Amino acid sequence: MKKIPPKGLSETELFAEMNALRKDDLNWRDGRNFAYVYYPGEEILNVVKKAYQLFFSENALNPSAFPSLRNMENDVVSMSAHLFGGNNETVGSLTTGGTESILMTVKTAREWGKKNKKLTANPEIIIPATAHPAFFKAAHYFNLSIVLCPTEKDFRVDAQKMENLISKNTVLLVASAPSYPQGVVDPIQAIGQIAEKHDLLFHVDACIGGFMLPFLKQLDYKIPAFDFSVKGVTSISADIHKYGYAAKGASVILYKNSALRKHQFYTYTAWTGGIYASPTMTGTRPGGSIAAAYAALKFVGYDGYLKLAKSCMNTTQKLQNAIREIPEIDILTTPEATLFAITSNSLDIYEVGDEMGILGWQIDRQQMPPSLHFSINPAHEKVIDQTIEDLKIAVQKAKKLSLNKLGKNVQLQAIKTMQRMLPKPLFEKIKKLASKHSDVGGKRSAAMYGMIGELQGKGDLDDMIKDFLDKMMK
Ligand SMILES: *Cc1c(COP(=O)(O)O)cnc(C)c1O
């Protein structure tokens, strides 16, 4: 076990150690990642950092202790409500991220259902098959049932099919603007009508798109209406720590009115420590991330967001145009914004991901169908030509590799595919283990063949991943 050092390190020693820890981290400043970090440049980053530091110790747990935080939170909510077509009735909260915003909207729907419908069973929420796992997490935590609506060929849900799934226990419909994996916006308008007709709540998950779509629309890109301007929409989530460029730990959850938001709040009035009231999941709420969200919106400004959105969209189109020229790979469906996925009919797209990895690009693997994910951020503008060159090389290499692999055991392929779905850190862990059992080594995931013996008889995939996660967090 590790011990707290008996005698504290010097600042120099400490930072030398921590900087050494970073050596294998994603290189987001150079745009080598296509997820996780959204980098708007040093100027904005430094201002947001300064704001975070200024409120580093403050705690938004009690809204009367720090009026500064309360005012900033209210302003961030209000600016967001304005951006998303809200009015004077629109209210909301700042949360730590998209997941917490979604947890809150699902909990709100449960409480709303309790009050407004005489439910005989678990309340149900109808979500597109492409919706974020945070909805499953919320249903799991709060004991609701998920009704999954399969998506169409274009990865958008069909509103009519969603309507057919409504039962007397339904409380909430969900749509994405856009979905994360394929970057497409569900038919919000049509679903809004259905929500109204059946007197249901309707949440639009604009976690990734919230601080991108309105600016693209303003720039005359074809963006469908997705916000409170659409009749039937009762709540929206939008992450300021993604395309809002705030510090991690900032998302807004907005509701159509106060009556709805009250279902989100939690109170306990019989505590010996006094009356306890809390708007969201967390108790102590870091002032830093509230201040950083406020600073990002105020410092970047509407003009700044337009400029950054334009840069992201230009880069997206450049990359997509280049991909259309590469016969072996295709863009999945017709994404509206700055997220999309690529797939292939003729080669193993995961091999392309491996080859891109060897060339220093970190690209996430997706499934059903096998695909690679791209979320474009402003850091990509200056490296996109290189991305395109390397993608061409990676496709050529993957073509050769795919031929070599023909005839290999189908079961091995299946396990290999499963393993490729693991997040990078887990994947790296397996690779290290694999190198003990295999002479393949190197950066290719083929090394993982060696792990197969190790994994056999270890239960299902969920258990296997929980086991890895458990080991990783020790
Ligand atoms: C990122 C994302 C979420 C979850 O947000 P976190 O900040 O990672 O908790 C939910 N929905 C969509 C569409 C997202 O892109």
Side-chain angles (χ1 to χ4, degrees), residues 259-271:
L260 201 48
R261 184 178 63 172
K262 279 191 191 146
H263 296 298
Q264 175 189 291
F265 295 159
Y266 178 78
T267 55
Y268 183 64
T269 53
W271 187 36

Side-chain angles (χ1 to χ4, degrees), residues 97-100 102 132 134 176 178-180 205 207-208 239 241-242:
T99 299
E100 191 186 356
I102 289 167
H132 194 274
S176 310
S179 64
Y180 181 83
D205 178 7
C207 279
I208 189 89
D239 295 351
H241 66 202
K242 287 176 182 160

Side-chain angles (χ1 to χ4, degrees), residues 60-348:
L61 171 61
N62 177 347
S64 59
F66 300 104
S68 57
L69 296 181
R70 188 179 72 237
N71 286 332
M72 285 191 286
E73 173 164 4
N74 285 341
D75 283 3
V76 168
V77 167
S78 180
M79 287 186 270
S80 308
H82 179 262
L83 186 65
F84 304 137
N87 57 31
N88 289 335
E89 301 249 291
T90 316
V91 290
S93 303
L94 255 180
T95 68
T96 55
T99 299
E100 191 186 356
S101 290
I102 289 167
L103 290 172
M104 291 295 82
T105 204
V106 171
K107 188 260 188 190
T108 296
R110 186 190 71 186
E111 296 303 302
W112 175 87
K114 244 186 230 169
K115 208 167 169 196
N116 294 281
K117 304 199 156 215
K118 294 186 180 67
L119 300 187
T120 52
N122 273 0
E124 292 171 4
I125 64 177
I126 305 177
I127 69 171
T130 50
H132 194 274
F135 291 97
F136 291 86
K137 201 181 204 177
H140 176 70
Y141 284 178
F142 301 141
N143 212 17
L144 291 89
S145 299
I146 293 271
V147 176
L148 208 58
C149 189
T151 50
E152 303 302 298
K153 275 210 177 74
D154 64 358
F155 292 90
R156 291 173 184 89
V157 85
D158 178 83
Q160 187 55 55
K161 287 189 184 159
M162 207 171 220
E163 182 172 26
N164 295 342
L165 295 171
I166 293 172
S167 80
K168 61 181 189 309
N169 297 317
T170 307
V171 289
L172 175 72
L173 306 182
V174 169
S176 310
S179 64
Y180 181 83
Q182 300 84 20
V184 293
V185 180
D186 287 312
I188 311 282
Q189 218 130 16
I191 300 170
Q193 279 174 13
I194 290 165
E196 282 216 307
K197 181 171 144 199
H198 295 269
D199 186 26
L200 295 170
L201 299 183
F202 176 27
H203 180 78
V204 174
D205 178 7
C207 279
I208 189 89
F211 290 91
M212 177 57 74
L213 298 183
F215 304 109
L216 292 182
K217 189 164 196 149
Q218 182 66 30
L219 291 163
D220 283 334
Y221 290 100
K222 227 180 121 210
I223 303 294
F226 72 97
D227 58 14
F228 286 117
S229 66
V230 178
K231 273 170 68 115
V233 173
T234 56
S235 61
I236 296 177
S237 51
D239 295 351
I240 318 176
H241 66 202
K242 287 176 182 160
Y243 288 118
Y245 310 108
K248 297 286 179 291
S251 169
V252 278
I253 173 69
L254 298 171
Y255 296 97
K256 200 182 152 96
N257 57 43
S258 279
L260 201 48
R261 184 178 63 172
K262 279 191 191 146
H263 296 298
Q264 175 189 291
F265 295 159
Y266 178 78
T267 55
Y268 183 64
T269 53
W271 187 36
T272 53
I275 290 173
Y276 186 93
S278 157
T280 54
M281 290 287 287
T282 53
T284 290
R285 297 199 300 148
S289 55
I290 295 173
Y294 181 83
L297 295 180
K298 297 282 263 195
F299 184 72
V300 176
Y302 197 88
D303 60 338
Y305 283 115
L306 279 181
K307 220 172 118 194
L308 290 163
K310 179 91 193 149
S311 155
C312 291
M313 203 59 183
N314 285 346
T315 307
T316 302
Q317 289 183 336
K318 200 166 175 186
L319 179 55
Q320 288 180 341
N321 288 338
I323 288 166
R324 288 190 190 98
E325 300 289 309
I326 304 175
E328 292 86 356
I329 54 175
D330 301 296
I331 298 161
L332 270 185
T333 184
T334 50
E336 283 92 346
T338 50
L339 287 81
F340 65 96
I342 61 170
T343 187
S344 176
N345 292 323
S346 59
L347 50 77
D348 180 352

Side-chain angles (χ1 to χ4, degrees), residues 404-419:
N404 291 343
K405 275 203 316 289
L406 274 179
K408 281 235 168 99
N409 184 317
V410 176
Q411 192 191 351
L412 296 192
Q413 289 283 3
I415 292 172
K416 193 176 163 201
T417 305
M418 267 176 0
Q419 289 173 336

